[in-house]
Amino acid sequence: MSILVLAEHDNQSLKPATLNTITAASQIGGDVHLLVAGFECQTVITQATKVAGVSKVLSADNAVYEHQLAENIAKLVVELAQGYSHILAPATTTGKNTLPRVAALLDVAQLSDVIKVESADTFVRPIYAGNAIATVKSSDSVKVITVRATGFDAAAEEGGDAQTEVLSQVIASEKSRFVSEQLAESDRPELTAASVVISGGRGMGSGDNFKLLDGIADKLGAAIGASRAAVDAGFVPNDLQVGQTGKTVAPELYIAVGISGAIQHLAGMKDSKVIVAINKDEDAPIFQVADYGLVADLFDAVPELEKSL
Amino acid sequence: MKVLVSVKRVIDYNVKVRVKADHSAVDLTNVKMSMNPFCEIAVEEAIRLKEKGVADEVVVVSVGSKSCQETLRTALALGADRAIQVETEDGLDSLSVAKLLAGVAKDEAADLIIMGKQSIDSDNNQTGQMVAALLDYPQATFASEVIVENGEAKVTREIDGGLQTLAITLPAVVTTDLRLNEPRFASLPNIMKAKKKPLDVKTPADFGVEVGSNVSIVSVTPPPERAAGIKVGSVSELVDKLKNEAKVVS
C-alpha cells in the first residue's frame, strides 16, 4: 500500500503544510511518495528528498505546471493514481482547488480537512464551522483526502533519503491560463505556521491602527491575522483572514484584539492552545473561549501590553 | 449566454448547532434554514451578469427534498428566471450532487456555472471542482472578481498568499468567495412574482445518476469544550499569567 502526497510549494521552497500532510500520511501507514509538480523547482525537489518519512519523490518539472492549474495537475495525478490507496494534499487553497477534481475523475468521494486519522479508512473532520466533529468511514477504493495542517505535527525536514523519479508526462491545459498574481509581502512568519498569532477585528477602527499590533508581533515573533470584519472594512488584505472562510490556525498563543468572536471566526482559531481576548465589550462571545480575557479599550491596553513584554 | 447557478438549503449561519444525543448527526428539527451564504453570492453574480447584458437567462438548481423549493423561490425572487429542483430524500455526498448538477448543466447547455465555494454545513469545498471535472470544463474557484468577455472568463481568485487571476474558456465553472459581491435582498413584489416563475421538478433517474455515498458517518460529536477562562483586571496581570501560568510568553 502506497500513499501519494501532493507537495505544496511556490517553485522555490516546500510549504510547511506539506510536512503536516506527510505526518498524516505516515499515520495511515505505507510508503509515502511526494509529488512535486512545478517549474524550475529543483530546490523544492532537493528539500523534499530529505523530509523524514518520504520514500520517493516524483518530480514533474515543466513550464505547464508552473502555476499548478487544477486542470493539468488533476489529470497528472489521475495518471499516477494506479497503485495508490490514498491520495493526500494539504487543505490549502491549492489543495482544495485540485483534489476534488482528482476525486471526481477517479469517481470517488473526497474527505476534506481531515484533522485525525483513526485507521486507513476512518477519519475525523470538523463540520458546521467546527461546531461538530464527524468521524467518517470511506469504502472507496482510493481515499482522496485533504489534510488540515493544524491537526498534525510537521514531519522532520531532515533525516530522510528519498530517491527521485522524474516524470515525463506533460499535461497542458488548453482551457485555462494564468494571467497574473498579486502576492502580499510579509516578513513575518506564515499565519498558519506561526506559534503566536495576534489578530485585529473591527474594533481596530482603521488600517493604520493595525500598526499598533506590529510592536507586539515583533516582540513575540508573531504573525498578524484579522477577522472578516477587518478585511471587509478594508483595514488589511484578505489573506490575513482567520476563520471558516479564511485560514485555520492553532498556535500556542492567539491574541484577539477588538474581535467579538463570531462562530465563523472561532472556527478558524479555537484550537489554539491559549487564547487571549482584549475587548471593551464584556459580553463579547470571544470571552467564552478565551483563557484570559481583558475588558479594556484596546487603544490603551495594546500599547501597554507592548511595553510590558 | 445562459448561466446556471446551484443553491443549497442549509442551517442558517447564525444558528448555534446542536449535536443529537445519540451522536448520529446534527439536530436539524425546528431549526431555521436558509440559502447557503456562498450560494447567495453566486445568485447575485449571475443576476449582475444579466443586468450587464452579458447573460440572457439565469437558471437556478437545487438538489434535495421538497423543502429546497423554498430556497429556489428565494433565488427567483432575487432575479433568477427559472428553477429546477432535482428531488431526492437521500443524504448525498458531493460526488452524487456533482453528477446531478453536471447532468442539469449538460441538458441546459449552460455557458457558465456559478456555485458557492463551500456550504457552511458540510464545509467540504468540493462540488464545484467535481462538476468541472465531470464535464471536463475549466474551473476558477474562490472567485473575488469575474469578467466575461470574448468567450472566456477572467477570474481573480483568493489564494493563500494573495490574489491570482486566471483566464478560462467557456463553458466553465466558477465558485464564489465572500468578497465577490454583496448580495441584494428580495423585495416583497419580487417575492410575489417569484411564485409565478417556472419551477421544474426532476429526479436523479432523469439524469441516469445512481445516487448514494461510499462515505458513512460513524459518529458526530460536539467539539471538546474549552476549560472556562478567567478575566484579568489589568495588562500587568495578563502578562504575569501568560509568563507564569500559561508559560507561553518568556
Side-chain angles (χ1 to χ4, degrees):
Chain A
M1 198 165 75
S2 302
I3 300 171
L4 182 66
V5 175
L6 263 70
E8 169 97 2
H9 66 91
D10 58 3
N11 294 314
Q12 271 136 39
S13 64
L14 202 58
K15 294 284 174 189
T18 312
L19 301 172
N20 307 78
T21 308
I22 289 166
T23 301
S26 307
Q27 288 178 6
I28 295 168
D31 281 349
V32 177
H33 297 178
L34 192 60
L35 170 63
V36 179
F39 183 47
E40 296 181 337
C41 54
Q42 192 51 50
T43 52
V44 182
I45 292 160
T46 311
Q47 235 183 319
T49 55
K50 293 181 190 152
V51 177
V54 176
S55 63
K56 187 153 82 172
V57 175
L58 304 171
S59 117
D61 193 333
N62 191 290
V64 302
Y65 303 126
E66 184 173 5
H67 301 288
Q68 302 183 31
L69 299 177
E71 291 78 7
N72 35 16
I73 301 288
K75 277 192 185 144
L76 175 67
V77 174
V78 169
E79 280 196 16
L80 301 173
Q82 192 127 46
Y84 289 105
S85 58
H86 297 72
I87 299 173
L88 273 61
T92 55
T93 48
T94 314
K96 287 176 177 176
N97 188 38
T98 308
L99 225 55
R101 207 169 163 111
V102 171
L105 293 175
L106 294 171
D107 197 28
V108 299
Q110 183 194 278
L111 306 176
S112 297
D113 271 302
V114 161
I115 55 169
K116 197 167 160 223
V117 174
E118 291 277 347
S119 70
D121 65 3
T122 306
F123 302 87
V124 178
R125 57 178 304 265
I127 52 176
Y128 292 89
N131 290 302
I133 306 295
T135 303
V136 291
K137 189 179 163 120
S138 163
S139 57
D140 277 320
S141 54
V142 188
K143 275 80 169 165
V144 176
I145 297 165
T146 60
V147 174
R148 181 172 286 193
T150 56
F152 299 88
D153 294 332
E157 283 182 74
E158 299 289 333
D161 183 21
Q163 43 164 321
T164 307
E165 184 183 318
V166 177
L167 302 176
S168 55
Q169 295 99 319
V170 175
I171 299 166
S173 167
E174 284 133 31
K175 295 174 182 168
S176 175
R177 73 191 150 84
F178 172 84
V179 177
S180 63
E181 204 165 59
Q182 273 175 276
L183 298 181
E185 299 285 333
S186 174
D187 305 329
R188 300 195 187 282
E190 203 175 339
L191 193 51
T192 50
S195 63
V196 181
V197 173
I198 178 161
S199 287
R202 198 197 301 273
M204 297 301 293
S206 75
D208 276 348
N209 290 339
F210 262 76
K211 294 199 187 92
L212 284 173
L213 306 182
D214 287 348
I216 297 177
D218 289 341
K219 284 192 170 164
L220 297 176
I224 291 183
S227 69
R228 186 180 166 208
V231 173
D232 280 352
F235 298 171
V236 289
N238 68 278
D239 57 301
L240 297 192
Q241 185 182 320
V242 172
Q244 187 181 17
T245 58
K247 297 202 169 89
T248 308
V249 300
E252 293 285 303
L253 173 61
Y254 187 89
I255 307 174
V257 182
I259 291 176
S260 64
I263 296 174
Q264 292 78 10
H265 184 74
L266 301 184
M269 48 63 83
K270 69 179 175 183
D271 292 328
S272 306
K273 198 164 152 233
V274 174
I275 298 173
V276 169
I278 301 174
N279 203 304
K280 64 181 174 190
D281 173 12
E282 62 178 313
D283 296 324
I286 190 78
F287 287 121
Q288 289 161 21
V289 299
D291 299 281
Y292 302 107
L294 176 63
V295 181
D297 189 328
L298 70 93
F299 296 103
D300 301 327
V302 169
E304 198 186 334
L305 178 60
E306 183 186 339
K307 246 179 271 162
S308 48
L309 286 171
Chain B
M1 184 177 92
K2 190 190 275 188
V3 180
L4 181 71
V5 182
S6 71
V7 294
K8 184 176 183 184
R9 185 172 186 266
V10 298
I11 193 164
D12 189 86
Y13 73 101
N14 280 313
V15 173
K16 184 135 177 59
V17 300
R18 280 165 306 149
V19 172
K20 282 187 184 170
D22 65 358
H23 290 176
S24 61
V26 162
D27 194 353
L28 294 178
T29 44
N30 297 320
V31 170
K32 187 184 176 204
M33 304 292 278
S34 302
M35 190 189 298
N36 179 45
F38 291 100
C39 302
E40 286 185 353
I41 295 169
V43 172
E44 176 67 30
E45 195 64 18
I47 296 163
R48 288 188 190 189
L49 286 172
K50 198 179 167 198
E51 287 169 347
K52 279 186 218 155
V54 177
D56 313 308
E57 191 183 25
V58 175
V59 182
V60 282
V61 53
S62 191
V63 176
S65 62
K66 201 166 169 61
S67 52
C68 72
Q69 289 191 6
E70 203 182 308
T71 313
L72 288 169
R73 290 286 173 206
T74 305
L76 293 171
L78 291 168
D81 298 295
R82 199 150 66 69
I84 299 167
Q85 180 211 358
V86 183
E87 185 151 337
T88 164
E89 294 293 332
D90 302 326
L92 304 187
D93 64 4
S94 306
L95 184 62
S96 296
V97 174
K99 285 177 180 173
L100 293 171
L101 294 178
V104 173
K106 240 192 264 172
D107 270 10
E108 293 285 330
D111 302 285
L112 182 62
I113 303 159
I114 310 182
M115 304 170 63
K117 80 162 175 182
Q118 76 187 62
S119 61
I120 59 162
D121 51 358
S122 54
D123 279 335
N124 274 320
N125 194 332
Q126 301 172 352
T127 312
Q129 294 89 316
M130 288 180 160
V131 170
L134 295 171
L135 294 166
D136 197 23
Y137 288 178
Q139 69 186 48
T141 49
F142 326 141
S144 62
E145 194 184 12
V146 179
I147 298 165
V148 178
E149 54 186 14
N150 307 327
E152 64 176 27
K154 245 190 206 135
V155 182
T156 302
R157 309 176 52 230
E158 299 202 3
I159 59 169
D160 282 331
L163 298 172
Q164 179 192 62
T165 304
L166 297 178
I168 51 175
T169 311
L170 300 182
V173 176
V174 169
T175 72
T176 63
D177 216 318
L178 275 173
R179 265 162 295 276
L180 180 59
N181 59 48
E182 187 95 19
R184 70 192 67 189
F185 293 98
S187 66
L188 191 58
N190 285 343
I191 293 171
M192 301 311 289
K193 270 187 230 158
K195 292 185 177 163
K196 298 209 175 86
K197 289 187 181 175
L199 193 160
D200 285 343
V201 179
K202 306 221 168 185
T203 67
D206 293 337
F207 304 98
V209 173
E210 210 166 302
V211 296
S213 180
N214 283 335
V215 175
S216 55
I217 290 180
V218 179
S219 71
V220 176
T221 55
E225 293 263 347
R226 288 189 77 92
I230 54 161
K231 284 210 175 122
V232 293
S234 67
V235 169
S236 54
E237 192 186 342
L238 174 63
V239 174
D240 176 65
K241 295 279 187 198
L242 291 178
K243 281 186 178 161
N244 302 316
E245 197 176 276
K247 296 189 167 65
V248 284
V249 173
S250 54

